[in-house]
Amino acid sequence: MAQKLATTARTGRDNQRYGAQGERLVAGVVPLSNDKTKVLLIQSTRRGGWVLPKGGWETDEGTAQEAACREAWEEAGIVCTVVKDLGTIPEMRAAQELTDKAPKAAYQFYEVRVDREASDWPEKDKRGRQWMTYLQAKQSLQTRPELLEALNRSTIIK
């Protein structure tokens, strides 16, 4: 079944799924180039810098995989296919880094193949995107250990 591509991004947390310990359930992607030498990162809207596409798994989405592919479209403007489940990554931020806007989370990541990069997407005006080598991405993600762990679990050429 083809992925339905929205023209606007979802906002808010009214439909957010939470885990047994009250953690926000987040789904994300590690989008690799076909030759697996690069990963596509996006600009963070809150903290600056670069991050992997990710966001809340919502109650109307049947799977975390579905949520991850939606987030990839909204934030990075990519249509993608999951090729590998990278597993769940627990929260790695220190307690003092957690806020109401950035609560404790559990991250479910997927390695994806990029089938298409659109020139227009829901968050185009909020975020840039950039292909990076493993070393460039590792440097960019060093303050986000959960995202770096997802990258390290992928099959990117290091």
Side-chain angles (χ1 to χ4, degrees):
M1 184 171 94
Q3 179 182 349
K4 185 178 179 206
L5 303 177
T7 57
T8 59
R10 295 182 181 197
T11 59
R13 297 216 171 124
D14 293 342
N15 296 319
Q16 173 67 59
R17 287 182 191 247
Y18 292 90
Q21 281 79 45
E23 72 279 17
R24 183 171 173 246
L25 300 180
V26 173
V29 298
V30 179
L32 298 184
S33 59
N34 287 335
D35 64 3
K36 300 189 182 211
T37 61
K38 293 189 176 165
V39 60
L40 185 66
L41 297 187
I42 59 169
Q43 288 178 307
S44 171
T45 59
R46 286 202 184 103
R47 303 169 68 167
W50 297 92
V51 295
L52 292 166
K54 62 174 178 33
W57 176 13
E58 298 191 357
T59 55
D60 65 337
E61 294 169 311
T63 65
Q65 183 173 317
E66 183 182 340
C69 291
R70 174 186 51 80
E71 289 291 343
W73 166 249
E74 289 178 359
E75 295 185 346
I78 58 172
V79 176
C80 59
T81 301
V82 171
V83 296
K84 183 179 180 186
D85 184 335
L86 300 175
T88 301
I89 299 170
E91 183 62 70
M92 295 181 176
R93 291 175 292 167
Q96 65 268 22
E97 294 179 87
L98 302 176
T99 67
D100 287 341
K101 289 193 180 220
K104 181 177 179 179
Y107 301 87
Q108 176 65 50
F109 272 95
Y110 300 92
E111 181 177 317
V112 297
R113 179 187 71 233
V114 177
D115 299 321
R116 181 168 63 92
E117 269 184 84
S119 57
D120 194 27
W121 67 94
E123 295 189 11
K124 179 182 180 181
D125 294 334
K126 292 183 185 178
R127 302 176 187 273
R129 64 184 178 195
Q130 184 173 325
W131 288 99
M132 296 186 187
T133 64
Y134 172 77
L135 290 177
Q136 291 169 323
K138 180 180 174 184
Q139 178 70 25
S140 295
L141 298 175
Q142 69 181 13
T143 62
R144 297 297 302 271
E146 70 284 358
L147 304 185
L148 183 55
E149 176 64 21
L151 178 65
N152 285 331
R153 289 183 184 186
S154 78
T155 60
I156 191 170
I157 296 171
K158 298 178 175 101

XYZ file of all heavy atoms in Angstrom, residues 6-13 15 56-61 66-67 70-71 74-75 122-123 126:
193
model
N 0.962 13.687 3.576
C 0.242 14.883 4.008
C 0.974 16.128 3.525
O 2.185 16.112 3.315
C 0.137 14.900 5.532
N 0.237 17.206 3.388
C 0.853 18.467 2.986
C 1.206 19.336 4.191
O 1.906 20.330 4.045
C -0.069 19.263 2.043
O -1.329 19.474 2.704
C -0.295 18.511 0.743
N 0.711 18.952 5.366
C 1.053 19.664 6.596
C 1.525 18.651 7.633
O 1.131 17.492 7.609
C -0.147 20.450 7.175
O -1.204 19.527 7.439
C -0.624 21.523 6.211
N 2.370 19.131 8.555
C 2.881 18.262 9.612
C 1.909 18.229 10.779
O 1.234 19.218 11.068
C 4.245 18.772 10.088
N 1.866 17.107 11.453
C 1.064 17.010 12.670
C 1.761 17.812 13.768
O 2.986 17.883 13.809
C 0.947 15.561 13.119
C 0.178 14.692 12.148
C 0.073 13.290 12.680
N -0.640 12.434 11.747
C -1.157 11.277 12.088
N -1.056 10.817 13.323
N -1.792 10.547 11.207
N 0.976 18.380 14.665
C 1.540 19.121 15.793
C 0.813 18.722 17.067
O -0.294 18.191 17.023
C 1.417 20.647 15.590
O 0.036 20.979 15.431
C 2.208 21.118 14.373
N 1.446 19.004 18.199
C 0.818 18.722 19.481
C 1.004 17.283 19.910
O 1.521 16.445 19.170
N 0.562 16.998 21.132
C 0.746 15.657 21.687
C -0.572 15.049 22.160
O -0.577 14.124 22.957
C 1.745 15.726 22.837
C 3.119 16.189 22.362
C 4.235 15.509 23.085
N 5.494 15.836 22.441
C 6.518 16.373 23.052
N 6.466 16.635 24.341
N 7.618 16.634 22.395
N -2.560 13.084 20.663
C -2.716 11.692 20.234
C -1.462 10.860 20.475
O -1.308 9.787 19.905
C -3.094 11.644 18.752
C -4.436 12.284 18.495
O -5.368 12.105 19.270
N -4.535 13.043 17.429
N 6.767 11.590 17.634
C 5.852 10.774 18.405
C 5.064 9.765 17.585
O 4.623 10.052 16.479
N 4.922 8.573 18.164
C 4.063 7.530 17.608
C 2.670 7.835 18.120
O 2.429 7.887 19.317
C 4.556 6.166 18.068
C 3.707 4.994 17.643
C 2.708 4.978 16.718
C 3.809 3.660 18.141
N 2.172 3.714 16.604
C 2.832 2.884 17.476
C 4.610 3.039 19.088
C 2.642 1.529 17.723
C 4.422 1.689 19.328
C 3.459 0.945 18.655
N 1.738 8.077 17.214
C 0.408 8.531 17.588
C -0.607 7.389 17.609
O -0.416 6.346 16.992
C -0.018 9.669 16.670
C 0.930 10.858 16.838
C 0.463 12.119 16.173
O -0.584 12.130 15.505
O 1.163 13.130 16.337
N -1.691 7.622 18.336
C -2.680 6.572 18.602
C -3.404 6.075 17.353
O -3.910 4.956 17.351
C -3.724 7.058 19.629
O -4.316 8.278 19.163
C -3.086 7.288 20.986
N -3.444 6.860 16.280
C -4.117 6.415 15.057
C -3.183 5.672 14.102
O -3.586 5.292 13.017
C -4.792 7.588 14.347
C -3.808 8.616 13.824
O -2.669 8.690 14.345
O -4.173 9.363 12.906
N -1.946 5.467 14.526
C -0.977 4.756 13.702
C -0.831 3.333 14.248
O -0.584 3.138 15.439
C 0.368 5.482 13.706
C 0.248 6.837 13.018
C 1.441 7.730 13.196
O 1.914 7.901 14.340
O 1.893 8.286 12.168
N 5.057 2.756 10.834
C 4.195 3.715 10.126
C 4.481 5.139 10.605
O 4.600 6.068 9.802
C 2.735 3.341 10.385
C 1.718 4.190 9.662
C 0.274 3.791 10.001
O 0.029 2.670 10.476
O -0.606 4.641 9.789
N 4.608 5.306 11.924
C 4.903 6.627 12.493
C 6.266 7.127 12.026
O 6.435 8.304 11.691
C 4.851 6.567 14.022
N 6.076 8.366 8.494
C 5.361 9.654 8.462
C 6.295 10.779 8.882
O 6.362 11.831 8.246
C 4.128 9.627 9.368
C 3.441 11.007 9.456
C 2.295 11.042 10.451
N 2.616 10.543 11.767
C 3.267 11.252 12.715
N 3.688 12.474 12.472
N 3.493 10.715 13.902
N 7.035 10.566 9.972
C 7.971 11.589 10.447
C 9.049 11.876 9.402
O 9.436 13.026 9.206
C 8.620 11.161 11.764
C 7.670 11.183 12.946
C 7.245 12.580 13.380
O 7.897 13.580 13.001
O 6.246 12.685 14.110
N 7.339 14.195 6.909
C 7.056 15.532 7.425
C 8.326 16.348 7.658
O 8.375 17.526 7.320
C 6.279 15.437 8.746
C 4.862 14.959 8.584
C 4.126 14.816 9.907
O 4.710 15.072 10.983
O 2.936 14.451 9.861
N 9.336 15.716 8.248
C 10.531 16.459 8.658
C 11.619 16.529 7.586
O 12.316 17.538 7.496
C 11.124 15.836 9.927
C 10.199 15.971 11.120
C 10.800 15.469 12.411
O 11.839 14.767 12.391
O 10.236 15.776 13.467
N 6.223 19.081 4.192
C 5.539 19.854 5.231
C 6.423 20.779 6.075
O 6.018 21.895 6.382
C 4.879 18.779 6.098
C 4.581 17.681 5.123
C 5.767 17.676 4.205
N 7.625 20.362 6.460
C 8.464 21.191 7.326
C 9.648 21.811 6.590
O 10.645 22.197 7.206
C 8.922 20.386 8.546
C 7.746 19.992 9.430
C 8.158 19.379 10.761
O 9.347 19.424 11.132
O 7.260 18.846 11.441
N 10.962 24.972 7.985
C 11.492 24.896 9.350
C 12.841 24.211 9.432
O 13.586 24.420 10.373
C 10.535 24.092 10.251
C 9.226 24.703 10.539
C 8.503 23.760 11.496
C 7.103 24.207 11.782
N 6.423 23.248 12.663
